[in-house]
Amino acid sequence: MNLKVNLAGVELKNPVMTASGTFGSGMEYSEFVDLSRLGAVVTKGVANHPWLGNPTPRIAEVTGGMLNAIGLQNPGIDVFCERDIPFLKQYDTKIIVNVCGKTTEDYLEVVERLADEPVDLLEINISCPNVKEGGIAFGQDPKAVEAITKAVKEKAKQPVIMKLSPNVTDIVTMAKAAEAGGADVLSLINTLTGMKFDIHRRKFALANKTGGMSGPCVKPVAVRMVYQVAHAVSVPVIGMGGIQNAEDAIEFLMAGATAVSVGTANFHNPFTTVEVVDGIADYMRVHGMEDVKEIFLAE
């Protein structure tokens, strides 16, 4: 059976990768997961300098998932290049670096710094607030999506994945804007904005008040958006949002995703990614499929 997939000329041994922010940069999970079993490791967001993140509390459990307002805490690009890339290069897997920023210049600084590093793809997190435009996320305005994509593509040496925010009226408009800007691949969905109160302490459950909702509760929304986008653009799509097992991942592949990312499930079952790889292979075997692309439901 052929589980290999191609993302903008980069061949992955299988379609399963990690979702940014849920797997560190691989080191934290390496005692549980043989990283060489994965199609790719997607790192936590990396900025041009260290970010402290938001005040605590910054994680809250909700029915069927969780809210997080970590605030993209990260050690910055210098530490990442010195520590995390050499670690990941020990494994036979592709390296996808998630890039975050508060201005276009922030993104470009990281993209340029990574140009000569041995990483395979860049995933641009456009759910970040654009501080120069009053704080609205880059990914919530189609003109901003196209502009940031064009700017990144001009500087990037690696293929560029644009990670789309679901907190929009029309996800297809955003996807087409990223494609028009030159995106090589699209990934979706990022977290849905949510809120929770602690009624006994009479406080917000998160110090940030709002947070990103993830987990199985978001999967039907994610599958619908991936289906819409995959049928509207010509570039590959990476599907994510609530994948807990192989069955969930197969839904995304049926919807048109070329590959999938496992996120929140890693927190309660660190073996999820390899279980999904094995489960997809089992599914193909049962259904007499020779190529993972056959899972796609062309309707």
Side-chain angles (χ1 to χ4, degrees):
M1 291 183 302
N2 179 30
L3 268 75
K4 294 177 182 176
V5 297
N6 191 291
L7 295 175
V10 177
E11 186 179 82
L12 278 60
K13 65 176 66 176
N14 63 63
V16 182
M17 59 186 74
T18 60
S20 177
T22 66
F23 210 76
S25 289
M27 193 179 299
E28 297 86 341
Y29 279 83
S30 58
E31 62 184 284
F32 302 105
V33 179
D34 177 3
L35 303 184
S36 296
R37 295 279 323 275
L38 306 181
V41 171
V42 182
T43 70
K44 183 165 172 44
V46 181
N48 58 338
H49 56 78
W51 286 8
L52 292 175
N54 290 327
T56 58
R58 49 191 195 177
I59 291 180
E61 190 171 353
V62 297
T63 303
M66 62 180 278
L67 291 172
N68 94 81
I70 304 300
L72 294 165
Q73 179 180 334
N74 73 93
I77 186 64
D78 291 337
V79 170
F80 178 80
C81 290
E82 292 164 13
R83 180 190 68 191
D84 297 325
I85 294 176
F87 173 80
L88 286 170
K89 289 302 292 180
Q90 300 174 85
Y91 297 91
D92 179 23
T93 189
K94 300 302 181 185
I95 302 171
I96 302 176
V97 182
N98 183 280
V99 179
C100 53
K102 295 175 182 174
T103 65
T104 300
E105 292 72 27
D106 289 349
Y107 285 100
L108 298 185
E109 195 174 325
V110 178
V111 168
E112 289 183 272
R113 180 80 163 77
L114 290 168
D116 297 320
E117 294 289 342
V119 301
D120 299 289
L121 297 110
L122 308 180
E123 181 182 62
I124 312 301
N125 177 9
I126 54 174
S127 293
C128 300
N130 183 346
V131 296
K132 286 192 174 179
E133 299 295 333
I136 186 171
F138 285 91
Q140 291 180 325
D141 174 3
K143 289 182 181 177
V145 170
E146 185 172 350
I148 187 74
T149 305
K150 277 183 178 175
V152 168
K153 280 293 294 176
E154 285 175 4
K155 301 291 184 182
K157 295 285 181 68
Q158 300 89 348
V160 171
I161 305 165
M162 299 304 290
K163 185 169 186 178
L164 303 181
S165 169
N167 301 306
V168 297
T169 304
D170 183 359
I171 191 70
V172 171
T173 298
M174 302 304 168
K176 287 183 173 179
E179 185 178 36
D184 299 293
V185 183
L186 302 177
S187 65
L188 65 154
I189 61 173
N190 210 325
T191 55
L192 288 154
T193 304
M195 180 182 284
K196 180 180 180 178
F197 286 94
D198 183 330
I199 64 168
H200 302 292
R201 293 170 60 240
R202 296 183 57 78
K203 290 184 176 180
F204 289 96
L206 299 172
N208 193 60
K209 297 184 180 177
T210 62
M213 186 171 69
S214 61
C217 55
V218 310
K219 193 190 80 175
V221 175
V223 171
R224 183 263 297 176
M225 289 190 170
V226 166
Y227 176 85
Q228 288 179 305
V229 168
H231 286 75
V233 299
S234 58
V235 297
V237 171
I238 302 166
M240 67 194 79
I243 295 174
Q244 303 287 296
N245 49 47
E247 289 83 357
D248 292 335
I250 289 162
E251 280 196 59
F252 282 93
L253 297 175
M254 289 181 75
T258 297
V260 295
S261 291
V262 177
T264 300
N266 292 309
F267 296 138
H268 63 81
N269 177 11
F271 307 107
T272 302
T273 46
V274 289
E275 290 174 2
V276 170
V277 173
D278 292 339
I280 291 172
D282 290 343
Y283 177 86
M284 290 171 61
R285 202 171 291 114
V286 167
H287 290 270
M289 297 177 177
E290 295 182 2
D291 193 294
V292 70
K293 298 178 187 67
E294 294 175 52
I295 295 175
F296 173 54
L297 191 64
E299 291 183 4

